[in-house]
């Protein structure tokens, strides 16, 4: 082990270039990515001895360069050129951080879902779809309380809210459950193909259900707060957490590794029940659709509203609630630097918890 | 175990798919000769490699949980020769490689395995165009010129360059993989130059993997096929238009398999993609330094290191500026192939609709049956009360089935 590794093990924060000038360190068996992550952890707090060793042994997950040598060490004739670790882009360091966080998520597990109670005899027969970020937790809670979905002559309710929030919801759910590209790239792709994602497209969902259950059995719900009255259930229904933009992006980067470590069947449960509660506690601005996408968003919202009106679906609430809301404060896109810092802080929190 | 493990770690585009297919289809025959190719499915070693290297791969990685450990356990349990082969293993880091070697039994003080590392290699003169084409078949929109620029970028930080050099730079791959293996246990199989007998590479594989004297079934349709310049240009244009609109499974089945592999690859008369003459001196100097290094290390070579030098192409056509009539011709053939495919699917859909109609008619007839109607009425009646549901539950238990009517 080299002196710089020992320096970092002991909590040091001196950048490699400064340390090398002072110590004349020559070679290291650990990659520059892992060492820079450790240095940044030391700068943010006091990682446990266990976390230090995990970082030093950590794999680089996903695509990208292999373990990089430190600049100034004896030159290898072959392989990727050595680097000054302080110059590594955040995305390269996130390859270390997300792998470790995924290990933590899988190791911690998630509470098993509570057993649903026996189905109530008197209940509204329903199906609940639409914006899955809203619909899935409500549906699960209803089932838990004894209101299973489906049944003869069930009414299909498609729940939504303003289109900007539904896009945020669709991307957030995909980030946690399915895998998706970055937020603004995803929006740009939708704009290029001039379509809404299926999960935010109530008109498309309404047509799909109409073909299966009939037009009279499809209803649009423009505000999830209306659902307890519609379904005649007592007590409030769960509302999904608002997660900071950087936290959602971190989840997006961790999710494939959780899938790789735990498999498809456990991934959604671990992400939603294990990681999401931790991310929901993280401070930061929520996601919002950037202003440059607003004209496209308004056009899509108008087309959706006009389509729902023209096709005559029954509506609970006001279709105007599906129009994008002009944000007066807050909201933005993830920043990769902030995502890295959040990842490092979460590693520190978990190592001292 | 106390046997031999032949671990083939690449490189891509060197006949690896053919080798893997022959091994997979001949598993029983190989077993008769004491050779294990431990794979339940064709891509088993690919999944194991994803698991070892923690490499997400468009969702396939979720099928790879524990795949490397499972593979290693099979290897260690076998008393004889085992073949493990996948070309993306070339990308493993030194630590992943060490973990892999240990898990296969290398250096086990109680029962050490004799691990041999095999790497098949082809000259960069052919590898560079082949890798660009492979990138295009995996949705890349980068032109050939952009691809070449990225390869020459010193930091290798781009997605294309980091992958290319990780799986192609032979001295570095062997540096990462050799660990403490003696050089005589590291075998380099070189791909013969163009114009060599067709079966020469296979003979070299036979020698490297000790398959002499086994009457293997060599028939395969899993060889990676090359595209010409207009065909590659067409797929790249499709990528530019389809990347936002076509989902991954549809792209895999319809663009890569149907168009590229099953349609455009048959157009063998098109000009081939080659290395630009201006790049050749750079490639040649790289090859020379690689050959010197590999020779110095004293590895076992099956073939000749000189073959890694490669020959400068005799002619060159810029793949970014193809003859447009050729592209139109390729596009027309593609449309015909897609129309034929749609026709097959329509026929299949019509057949399924007919089957559904028959089944619905049978269902309706069954529902008209008075006994069935009585049963249905009784079930609805029982479902309405707590006592009735209890009685139904008791009936299901007595019947010995937990199934419930829909």
């Amino acid at each position: 082990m080299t002196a710089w590794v020992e320096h970092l093990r002991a909590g040091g924060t001196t950048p490699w270039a400064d340390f090398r000038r002072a110590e004349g360190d020559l070679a290291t068996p650990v990659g520059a990515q892992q060492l820079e992550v450790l240095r940044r952890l030391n700068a943010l707090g006091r990682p446990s001895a266990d976390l230090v060793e995990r970082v030093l042994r950590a794999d680089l997950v996903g695509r990208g360069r292999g373990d990089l040598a430190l600049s100034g060490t004896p030159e290898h004739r072959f392989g990727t050129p050595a680097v000054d670790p302080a110059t590594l882009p955040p995305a390269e360091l996130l390859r270390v951080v997300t792998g470790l966080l995924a290990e933590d998520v899988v190791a911690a597990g998630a509470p098993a879902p509570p057993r649903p109670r026996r189905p109530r005899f008197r209940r509204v027969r329903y199906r609940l779809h639409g914006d899955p970020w809203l619909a899935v937790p409500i549906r699960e809670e209803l089932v838990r309380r004894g209101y299973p979905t489906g049944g003869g002559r069930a009414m299909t309710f498609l729940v939504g809210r303003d289109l900007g929030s539904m896009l945020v919801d669709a991307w957030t759910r995909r980030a946690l459950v399915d895998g998706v590209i970055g937020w603004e790239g995803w929006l740009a792709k939708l704009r290029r193909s001039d379509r809404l994602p299926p999960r935010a497209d109530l008109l498309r969902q309404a047509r799909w259900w109409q073909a299966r259950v009939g037009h009279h059995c499809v209803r649009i719900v423009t505000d999830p707060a209306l659902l307890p009255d519609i379904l005649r259930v007592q007590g409030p229904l769960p509302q999904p957490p608002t997660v900071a933009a950087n936290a959602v992006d971190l989840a997006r980067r961790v999710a494939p590794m959780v899938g790789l470590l735990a498999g498809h069947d456990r991934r959604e449960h671990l992400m939603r029940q294990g990681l999401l509660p931790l991310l929901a506690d993280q401070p930061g601005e929520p996601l919002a659709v950037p202003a440059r996408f607003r004209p496209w968003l308004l056009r899509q919202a108008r087309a959706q509203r006009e389509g729902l009106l023209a096709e005559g679906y029954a509506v609970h609430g006001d279709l105007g609630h599906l129009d994008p809301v002009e944000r007066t404060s807050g909201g933005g896109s993830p920043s990769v630097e902030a995502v890295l810092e959040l990842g490092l802080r979460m590693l520190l929190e978990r190592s001292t918890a | 175990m106390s046997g031999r493990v032949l671990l083939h770690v690449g490189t891509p585009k060197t006949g690896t798919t053919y080798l893997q297919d022959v091994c997979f289809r001949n598993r029983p025959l190989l077993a008769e000769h004491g050779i294990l190719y431990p794979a339940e499915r064709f891509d088993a070693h690919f999944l194991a490699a994803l698991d070892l290297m923690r490499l997400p791969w468009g969702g396939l990685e979720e099928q790879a949980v524990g795949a490397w450990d499972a593979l290693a356990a099979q290897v260690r349990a076998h008393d004889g020769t085992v073949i493990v082969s996948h070309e993306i293993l070339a990308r493993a880091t030194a630590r992943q490689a060490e973990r892999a070697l240990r898990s296969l039994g290398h250096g086990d003080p109680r029962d050490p395995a004799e691990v041999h590392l095999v790497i098949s290699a082809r000259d960069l003169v052919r590898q560079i165009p082949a890798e660009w084409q492979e990138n295009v078949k995996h949705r890349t929109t980068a032109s050939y010129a952009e691809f070449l620029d990225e390869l020459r970028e010193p930091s290798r930080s781009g997605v294309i360059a980091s992958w290319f050099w990780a799986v192609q730079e032979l001295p570095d791959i062997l540096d990462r993989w050799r660990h403490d293996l003696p050089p005589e246990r590291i075998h380099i199989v070189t791909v013969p130059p163009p114009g060599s007998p067709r079966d020469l590479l296979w003979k070299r594989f036979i020698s490297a993997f000790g398959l002499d004297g086994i009457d293997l079934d060599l028939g395969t349709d899993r060889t990676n096929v090359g595209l010409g310049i207009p065909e590659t240009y067409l797929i790249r244009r499709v990528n530019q238009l389809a990347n936002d609109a076509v989902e991954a499974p549809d792209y895999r089945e319809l663009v890569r398999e149907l168009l590229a592999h099953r349609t455009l690859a048959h157009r063998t008369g098109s000009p081939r993609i080659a290395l630009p003459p201006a790049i050749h001196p750079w490639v040649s100097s790289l090859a020379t330094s690689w050959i010197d290094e590999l020779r110095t290390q004293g590895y076992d070579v099956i073939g000749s290191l000189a073959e890694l030098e490669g020959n400068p192409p005799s002619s060159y056509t810029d793949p970014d500026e193809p003859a447009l009539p050729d592209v139109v011709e390729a596009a027309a053939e593609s449309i015909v192939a897609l129309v034929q495919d749609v026709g097959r699917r329509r026929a299949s859909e019509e057949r399924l609709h007919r089957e559904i109609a028959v089944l619905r008619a049978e269902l309706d007839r069954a529902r008209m049956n008075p006994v069935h109607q009585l049963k249905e009425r009784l079930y609805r009646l029982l479902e309405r009360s707590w006592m009735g549901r209890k009685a139904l539950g008791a009936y299901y238990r007595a019947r010995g089935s937990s199934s419930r009517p829909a």
Side-chain angles (χ1 to χ4, degrees), chain A residues 59 96 154 286:
Chain A
D59 262 325
V96 179

Side-chain angles (χ1 to χ4, degrees), chain A:
Chain A
M1 285 293 158
T2 66
W4 197 51
V5 178
E6 292 307 324
H7 168 74
L8 295 175
R9 265 209 175 101
T13 60
T14 310
W16 165 243
D18 298 342
F19 190 90
R20 181 161 59 89
R21 273 193 292 276
E23 302 284 333
D25 204 353
L26 290 178
T28 174
V30 184
Q33 296 97 323
Q34 291 89 340
L35 292 168
E36 182 61 15
V37 165
L38 183 51
R39 192 185 74 77
R40 293 191 187 210
L41 282 170
N42 289 339
L44 283 174
R46 188 73 196 101
S48 66
D50 176 55
L51 179 58
V52 169
E53 293 309 315
R54 284 180 65 209
V55 172
L56 293 174
R57 289 196 311 270
D59 262 325
L60 295 167
V61 302
R63 299 239 175 174
R65 289 176 284 183
D67 290 325
L68 295 168
L70 301 181
S71 55
T73 53
E75 277 293 318
H76 291 269
R77 287 179 60 213
F78 304 98
T80 308
V83 296
D84 176 352
T87 64
L88 284 170
E92 194 68 43
L93 303 181
L94 273 165
R95 293 174 61 211
V96 179
V97 173
T98 52
L100 293 171
L101 280 173
E103 287 174 2
D104 285 346
V105 170
V106 175
R115 282 173 64 88
R117 57 166 287 181
R118 184 192 301 277
R120 293 166 190 259
F121 179 62
R122 289 184 179 281
R123 63 179 193 269
V124 173
R125 309 287 163 160
Y126 75 99
R127 291 187 193 87
L128 186 60
H129 296 276
D131 178 339
W133 189 244
L134 302 172
V136 171
I138 294 175
R139 204 165 58 213
E140 288 172 349
E141 174 66 9
L142 287 170
V143 171
R144 194 187 66 76
R145 290 191 202 170
Y147 300 93
T149 64
R153 295 182 297 283
M155 196 64 73
T156 299
F157 296 99
L158 304 178
V159 63
R161 51 177 165 177
D162 73 272
L163 187 56
S165 299
M166 282 207 287
L167 284 175
V168 168
D169 293 346
W171 189 74
T172 302
R173 183 165 166 86
R174 284 194 63 175
L176 267 104
V177 176
D178 299 325
V180 66
I181 60 172
W183 170 235
E184 295 199 19
W186 184 71
L187 288 174
K189 188 172 161 179
L190 289 171
R191 185 172 60 179
R192 278 198 300 274
S193 54
D194 201 23
R195 63 185 170 89
L196 291 173
R199 287 162 173 165
D201 192 342
L202 292 185
L203 178 58
R204 182 168 160 181
Q205 290 192 40
R207 286 171 178 160
W208 195 90
W209 279 107
Q210 177 198 293
R212 280 152 187 83
V213 301
H215 186 275
H216 61 289
C217 286
V218 179
R219 296 194 172 177
I220 308 297
V221 181
T222 63
D223 181 354
L226 300 173
L227 282 170
D229 285 345
I230 295 169
L231 300 174
R232 285 184 241 145
V233 295
Q234 299 292 315
L237 292 170
Q239 293 181 351
T242 300
V243 188
N246 296 322
V248 186
D249 198 56
L250 182 62
R252 178 178 76 86
R253 293 163 188 270
V254 170
M257 291 317 302
V258 172
L260 206 154
L261 296 175
H264 180 77
D265 295 343
R266 289 180 62 209
R267 169 172 148 164
E268 178 175 347
H269 183 65
L270 288 169
M271 291 299 293
R272 283 184 54 217
Q273 310 300 331
L275 185 61
L276 180 60
L278 302 174
L279 294 175
D281 292 341
Q282 301 298 332
E285 294 285 346
L287 275 171
V289 178
R292 71 175 192 279
F293 292 100
R294 192 158 176 80
W296 170 76
L297 187 64
L298 287 169
R299 192 160 46 77
Q300 287 290 341
R302 188 169 62 246
Q304 177 164 260
R305 191 180 61 238
E306 288 172 359
L308 290 170
L309 268 175
E311 293 178 25
Y313 295 102
V315 177
H316 293 273
D318 179 354
L319 277 184
H321 288 158
L322 301 181
D323 289 345
V325 176
E326 184 90 55
R327 281 196 175 270
T328 50
S329 66
S333 297
S335 125
V336 67
E337 291 83 4
V339 173
L340 173 62
E341 183 170 332
L342 175 61
L344 292 168
R345 286 193 187 282
M346 287 187 71
L347 280 177
L348 278 172
E349 282 166 19
R350 295 177 80 85
S351 88
T352 52

Side-chain angles (χ1 to χ4, degrees), chain A residues 56 62 103 192 264 267, chain B residues 54 62 91 95 99 154 244:
Chain A
L56 293 174
E103 287 174 2
R192 278 198 300 274
H264 180 77
R267 169 172 148 164
Chain B
R54 294 193 165 190
E62 293 186 339
R91 181 256 185 210
R95 275 186 290 184
R99 193 185 318 144
D244 288 343

Side-chain angles (χ1 to χ4, degrees), chain B residues 287-305:
Chain B
T288 304
S289 66
W290 292 10
I291 291 166
D292 288 348
E293 170 69 12
L294 298 174
R295 195 167 281 136
T296 307
Q297 295 295 340
Y299 301 133
D300 173 43
V301 178
I302 300 151
S304 163
L305 288 178

